[in-house]
Each structure stands twice: as structure tokens, then as C-alpha cells.
Amino acid sequence: MYRWDFLPVLANADLLLQGLVNTLAVTGTALAFGIPLGLALALARLSGRRWLAWPAGFVIEFFRTTPPLVQLFWFFFALPVLIRVEMTPFMAAALTFSIQSAAFFAEVFRGGIVSIERGQWEAARALGMTPPQSMRRIILPQAVKRMIPAFMERAIELMKTTTLVATVSYADLLFQANEIAQKTFRPLEVFTVAAGIYFTVILLFSLMARQLERRLAVSGESTVH
Amino acid sequence: MNYQWNFAAVFEHTDALLHGAVGTLRLFAICLVLGLSLGLVIGLARYARHRLLNWPATAFVEFFRNTPVLVQILWFYFALPMLVPFEISPLMAAALGISLNSAAFSAEIYRGGIQSIEPGQWEASRALGMTGLQAMRRIILPQAIRRMLPALTNRAIEIFKMSTLASAVAYVELLQQGKLIASLNFNPIETYSVIALVFFVFLFPLVRATYALERRLAKGD
């Protein structure tokens, strides 16, 4: 019978905590860049101009259909050779996950924008607004409210995807756990605790998302059923 | 920006890439079958009224949906061997992690699909003298599966993408072979570009098919 011993894990709690902070840092950075980029991609795809819509569509589809780990390796190992810059694991991760999540956010934005009734466009035009004005003042504010649940879901997915940075030696929670496991020879306890931390943090976000979703569903403004 | 692209070195290793592709497909097939069938069992258990069935299924789904799949794979590879008396191969660890994760996600798809069937269908089957299980098998599931098809193909695509994570435990699949080729020939650009393209070319038709399926079902309902 295996004897569990969590003391070596506790002794390295500060490393795990640092890892969690780094995980949140990558997630936050990717969100900060991914959401605006996703909006830009969605607007380009919906613009009706082929030279804008087509490249945007390609970026969205490409990053949605290739595995994120392949993308990360490409940005970490291949891109520095191509443009001769020093790429840190954090930069590669931030770049990969910003673009990757932007591709998914773009589809969320697009779904939200398309779900707004045509009458809203017509009314905005009747009031003398140009299309960009109606998009900014009338359509987007309503669409964003409907998209919130899908957004939260994507953000949670993103946080889970960031564990991949451990494979390029960025000191996120999973990487730290691996290090501690090798140092203390206690992989069972260390990986169990790491999984527990991920579970707790992500479940917390999931519950918040569900709460918000229910609130929005009551006011009938959600696109998620 | 004047890098000399040279794909010849990648294609010299076509046999290695094919070997990797076989590994990817094997892992994909195992996880698809295990994940989707286990997901059905768990989805049904979650739907059951009995607490003894319902509660563990819910815990399973919540746990596997709310932890990263890479953490699960590494747990099965590094931590589980401490508890069981036998070796865990990279394939086993990856298959366990990805299958259980997909089971949790597909369980939710099955549950949603079953719940979307109108109560009248249940009542009609009962009126015809069917038991609950019979009604589920003969009446409810066949209708529900049709509605769930786009979500299930999406899951299959996700599983295919997830199979690359097995490279973290050195299972021989496409990305793992790519890593080897890139470090052997110092040509990460060409190698990883080819790997990305292979995945894109393989998965994009599936994605388009899912879109088409969604549109057709939206019209049919």
C-alpha cells in the first residue's frame, strides 16, 4: 500500500504559487490581446470586402483547426529563425495564445453580431448613422451582452490550454509541479495537488460563468441555451 | 527575412512522418471509441434519478471538464504508476487522459441531446408499454443522436487536436516525430510548418462537413 506524504509538496508551496501566478499572467496577457484581435478579425470577416474577409477567414479557420501545441512549437522554435529575434517562452506563449484565442473569440463576436435583428441596423440607418457608427453605438453593445457566457467559456478553455507552455519550459503551474516531482520523488502527491489547484481555480471561474449565464438568461439576453 | 526555405530535408523523413501519423491515428481511434462510449454511459448516469448513479457521474464530469487535459495525461503517466503495480506506457497515459476528458465533455452533449427530446415522446413510448430503458434505446436516443451529431463531430475534431499532447510523454505521433526531425536537421520552420499543414489539411474538410451538417439540421428541425 502506498504511503501518501504531502509534506514535500507543502515545503514547495511557494514554487507552486509562483507557477499559478505565471499561469494567470499568460492567461491574462492572451485575453488582453486576444479579445481586441478577435473583434478585429470578426469585423474583417463580416466586412463584405473580399480582400479583408478572406484573409480573416483563413486566419480564423487555420488557428481553430490546427492543434495549439503545434502552433506553440512553431512560434517558439520556428519563428525566431525566420525573423531573427530572441523568443522567450513567455513571448511565444503570449503570441500563440493571443492569436489562437482571437480566432475563437472572432467566432463568438461574429455569432453575437449576426444574432442582432436586422431591424436594429435599419433603425440606426434611419437615424442617419453610417454603418461603422451603427456597429459601434447600436449593434456591438447589444451583441456583447449576449456573448458574455460564450466569452467566459472561451476564457476558461484558454486557461486550460495555457498548460501547454510547460512543454517549452515556461514556469507555469504544471511546469513547477513537474520540477518539484522530479526533485522530491513524490510525483503522485505533487501532480494530485497541482490538478487540485487547477480544478479549484477553474471550477470557481466556471461557477461564476454559470451564475452570470443564469442572470442573463432571466433577462432573455443570452445566445447560449 | 531572406531565409532559404528548404523542404527537401523534411520530405527525406517522410517514413518517420508516416510512422507518426499512424501513431496519431491509433491514439485518435482509441480515444474516440472510449471517450464517446464512456461519455454515453456517464451521460445516462447523470440523467438517472437515482442519487447513487447521478452523483458520481456529476463529480466525474465536473472534475474532468475543469482540469487541463495535459495535467491529466501527466498525472496518469507520472503519478498513477505509484498506485498500480504495472508500468504505464505513454500510449496508455495519453489514451486515459484524453478518453476520460472527452468522456466528460461528450457526457454533457448526450445529456443535452436527451433533454432536448420532448416529454411527449417519453409518454407515447410508455403508452405503448415500453419500459424506461426500452424507450431510451428505441425512441429517445435515435432522435437525440441526430441532434447531437454536430456537437459530437466537433468533439472528434477536438480529440484529434488533443492527440498532439501525447508528445509530452514521448508517445510517437506526428508532433513527436516533427520534434525529432527538427532537432536532427535544424529545420524547425519547415518541419513545424509541414506538421501544421498536415493537421489543417486533414481536419479542415471535417470542420466544413460539421458546418454543413449544422446547417442541414437547423433547416430540418
Side-chain angles (χ1 to χ4, degrees):
Chain A
M1 198 55 206
Y2 185 80
R3 288 178 56 135
W4 294 74
D5 180 9
F6 282 100
L7 279 178
V9 186
L10 273 179
N12 289 296
D14 52 331
L15 288 178
L16 283 179
L17 192 71
Q18 185 56 46
L20 180 61
V21 170
N22 286 343
T23 291
L24 293 174
V26 177
T27 312
T29 312
L31 278 177
F33 288 104
I35 293 176
L37 187 60
L39 176 61
L41 282 173
L43 291 179
R45 199 175 194 184
L46 288 169
S47 67
R49 291 190 196 94
R50 200 176 292 172
W51 57 275
L52 267 177
W54 204 86
F58 179 75
V59 169
I60 292 171
E61 296 299 341
F62 191 82
F63 278 87
R64 273 162 48 102
T65 40
T66 46
L69 192 55
V70 177
Q71 296 162 11
L72 181 65
F73 278 17
W74 198 90
F75 279 108
F76 187 63
F77 295 113
L79 190 62
V81 185
L82 204 58
I83 58 170
R84 284 162 206 284
V85 288
E86 196 70 31
M87 188 70 89
T88 64
F90 179 79
M91 272 164 68
L95 202 60
T96 311
F97 296 132
S98 297
I99 302 177
Q100 200 247 0
S101 63
F104 280 97
F105 282 129
E107 287 301 279
V108 176
F109 273 116
R110 193 167 72 114
I113 292 169
V114 171
S115 80
I116 301 293
E117 301 71 28
R118 199 183 303 151
Q120 298 283 331
W121 284 102
E122 288 160 7
R125 162 162 290 181
L127 288 170
M129 292 186 200
T130 64
Q133 280 177 333
S134 2
M135 180 63 95
R136 210 177 58 237
R137 298 185 188 160
I138 309 294
I139 307 300
L140 267 185
Q142 299 181 69
V144 166
K145 201 171 169 193
R146 292 188 186 177
M147 292 179 298
I148 288 172
F151 260 131
M152 303 277 294
E153 206 183 301
R154 260 347 294 177
I156 291 167
E157 273 308 305
L158 173 64
M159 187 168 172
K160 289 192 281 181
T161 315
T162 59
T163 49
L164 305 191
V165 298
T167 58
V168 294
S169 306
Y170 176 69
D172 78 329
L173 179 52
L174 182 59
F175 181 82
Q176 299 284 54
N178 205 0
E179 293 279 290
I180 298 170
Q182 277 169 21
K183 208 170 62 182
T184 60
F185 303 106
R186 288 272 164 197
L188 181 57
E189 289 85 348
V190 178
F191 279 109
T192 305
V193 168
I197 296 175
Y198 273 114
F199 177 68
T200 314
V201 174
I202 295 172
L203 183 68
L204 217 66
F205 283 119
S206 299
L207 290 177
M208 271 161 54
R210 260 176 247 175
Q211 193 66 32
L212 199 64
E213 203 173 305
R214 208 165 302 147
R215 279 248 295 276
L216 289 174
V218 170
S219 57
E221 305 251 1
S222 168
T223 47
V224 174
H225 298 292
Chain B
M1 263 314 222
N2 40 21
Y3 179 81
Q4 292 280 324
W5 292 74
N6 174 18
F7 282 100
V10 182
F11 292 117
E12 269 169 34
H13 297 278
T14 309
D15 49 337
L17 286 178
L18 278 178
H19 192 55
V22 171
T24 295
L25 287 176
R26 182 188 300 137
L27 181 61
F28 170 69
I30 294 173
C31 296
L32 188 71
V33 172
L34 283 183
L36 294 193
S37 47
L38 186 62
L40 178 59
V41 175
I42 293 167
L44 289 178
R46 264 202 100 172
Y47 195 75
R49 240 174 250 122
H50 205 293
R51 200 178 295 168
L52 224 62
L53 279 172
N54 183 328
W55 204 87
T58 306
F60 176 91
V61 168
E62 289 300 334
F63 183 78
F64 279 94
R65 268 163 51 105
N66 286 306
T67 43
V69 65
L70 188 56
V71 176
Q72 293 156 16
I73 294 174
L74 292 190
W75 193 92
F76 284 119
Y77 191 62
F78 291 117
L80 187 61
M82 301 277 147
L83 288 179
V84 295
F86 49 88
E87 290 265 327
I88 304 274
S89 70
L91 174 63
M92 264 159 84
L96 268 172
I98 298 173
S99 302
L100 295 181
N101 186 278
S102 313
F105 275 95
S106 55
E108 285 298 277
I109 298 174
Y110 289 117
R111 194 173 68 119
I114 293 170
Q115 273 174 350
S116 80
I117 302 295
E118 303 71 24
Q121 299 282 333
W122 284 103
E123 289 155 14
S125 348
R126 163 160 292 180
L128 289 172
M130 293 187 200
T131 64
L133 272 179
Q134 281 177 331
M136 180 66 96
R137 208 179 62 234
R138 297 185 188 160
I139 309 298
I140 307 299
L141 269 184
Q143 297 182 72
I145 292 273
R146 218 178 77 94
R147 292 190 189 172
M148 295 182 285
L149 221 45
L152 289 177
T153 36
N154 260 331
R155 260 299 106 202
I157 294 166
E158 279 303 311
I159 293 176
F160 202 91
K161 285 160 60 184
M162 267 192 260
S163 69
T164 52
L165 302 188
S167 67
V169 291
Y171 171 69
V172 177
E173 48 80 64
L174 263 174
L175 183 58
Q176 176 70 12
Q177 296 296 80
K179 267 201 252 180
L180 288 182
I181 296 172
S183 60
L184 214 64
N185 301 294
F186 307 107
N187 58 349
I189 303 188
E190 289 88 350
T191 310
Y192 291 125
S193 301
V194 167
I195 301 278
L197 268 179
V198 169
F199 275 101
F200 184 70
V201 167
F202 193 85
L203 286 179
F204 193 59
L206 262 171
V207 173
R208 302 301 310 179
T210 310
Y211 286 161
L213 200 65
E214 258 165 32
R215 260 195 304 271
R216 243 192 46 204
L217 287 180
K219 244 183 254 164
D221 274 343

